[in-house]
Amino acid sequence: MDVTLHLAQDPAADALLGRSPLASLVGMLLDQQVPMEWAFKGPRTIADRLGAGEAGDLDAHEIAAMNPEVFAALLSDKPAVHRYPGSMAKRIQQLCQYLVEHYDGDAEAVWRDVPTGTELLARLEDLPGFGKQKAQIFLALLGKQLGVTPKGWREAAGAYGEPKAHRSVADITGPESLAKVRAHKQEMKEAAKAAKAHGR
C-alpha cells in the first residue's frame, strides 16, 4: 500500500495515510465531530509524538501496550489530536488491541485476500469504533483509492461505493472534490434539520 491520498490536505500526514494501513484506520476512527482534515492529520501527529520519525509508522503492538493515561496525555497535548482526545485515545487503543488479538497487529490483514465485499464489510464492522456507516465509508475508500476491490465491494459499500459520488472521504482526491463532499454533507444536515422541524 503506497498511494497518494489527499484527506488531511497536508503532505506529510497524507503520505503516512497512503502507506500505512493502521494510520488510515486510525484516521477513519477519528473522523467524527471534527473537521475531516483535522481527523486525518491525527495519525501523523500521533506518530510524531511517539517518536516515529519522518518515514515512521504507527505500531499497533506499541499503542495497544501503552499506559492508557500516558497515551491519552499524548493525544491531549496542544494542539490536541481531537476535540475529545481522552475518549478517542481509549478508542484507538481498543482498535489496536483488537488488531493485535485478531490480526497479530497487522492492520492490512483486515482486508488482505478477502474474497467478497460482504465479508470485508463484516470484518470492518467488527472493529471497535466502526459502526455500519463508518465501515461502509472505509470500504469505499479502500475500493476507490487503495486498490482493494473484492467481488461486490461497491454493493457492500452502499451509496458510498457509487462511482462519481461525492458523499464521503472515499471521494476526496483534492480541493475540488473536498468542496463537493462538504456541500453534500451540508445538504444532508439541512435536510435532517428540515425533517426534524416538520416532526418527521
Side-chain angles (χ1 to χ4, degrees):
M1 181 166 144
D2 196 0
V3 299
T4 304
L5 293 176
H6 300 277
L7 305 180
Q9 305 286 303
D10 171 279
D14 280 327
L16 178 61
L17 294 170
R19 71 171 184 270
S20 165
L22 179 56
S24 58
L25 274 178
V26 169
M28 191 74 230
L29 185 65
L30 290 168
D31 188 22
Q32 57 192 59
Q33 297 172 302
V34 292
M36 184 201 72
E37 301 95 312
W38 184 3
F40 282 96
K41 205 171 176 178
R44 174 81 258 176
T45 306
I46 295 167
D48 289 344
R49 290 177 185 176
L50 286 171
E54 193 61 35
D57 192 359
L58 296 175
D59 183 312
H61 290 276
E62 179 187 8
I63 293 171
M66 279 183 79
N67 176 305
E69 285 179 20
V70 171
F71 190 63
L74 186 119
L75 266 73
S76 302
D77 277 355
K78 299 280 186 286
V81 168
H82 194 275
R83 184 176 289 152
Y84 303 107
S87 62
M88 280 302 168
K90 192 174 175 183
R91 286 187 181 192
I92 292 169
Q93 283 200 290
Q94 285 170 343
L95 173 65
C96 288
Q97 285 156 0
Y98 182 90
L99 291 171
V100 167
E101 194 179 325
H102 296 270
Y103 296 100
D104 195 27
D106 178 8
E108 195 173 1
V110 175
W111 55 84
R112 191 189 297 122
D113 303 326
V114 176
T116 68
T118 310
E119 187 179 329
L120 179 48
L121 180 63
R123 285 189 183 195
L124 291 169
E125 283 189 76
D126 282 342
L127 297 174
F130 278 67
K132 182 167 187 182
Q133 185 184 37
K134 198 177 276 289
Q136 284 187 313
I137 291 171
F138 193 77
L139 175 50
L141 177 66
L142 287 170
K144 290 179 176 183
Q145 298 200 47
L146 298 172
V148 179
T149 54
K151 188 180 175 187
W153 72 270
R154 284 192 189 275
E155 291 77 6
Y160 301 108
E162 291 171 9
K164 296 183 182 170
H166 286 96
R167 296 175 189 276
S168 72
V169 298
D171 304 300
I172 293 169
T173 53
E176 192 184 326
S177 48
L178 171 61
K180 286 181 182 174
V181 170
R182 280 220 200 298
H184 174 77
K185 287 190 171 182
Q186 197 55 41
E187 278 171 33
M188 293 293 101
K189 260 187 196 162
E190 297 300 328
K193 261 189 203 165
K196 202 173 179 184
H198 288 95
R200 284 182 199 149

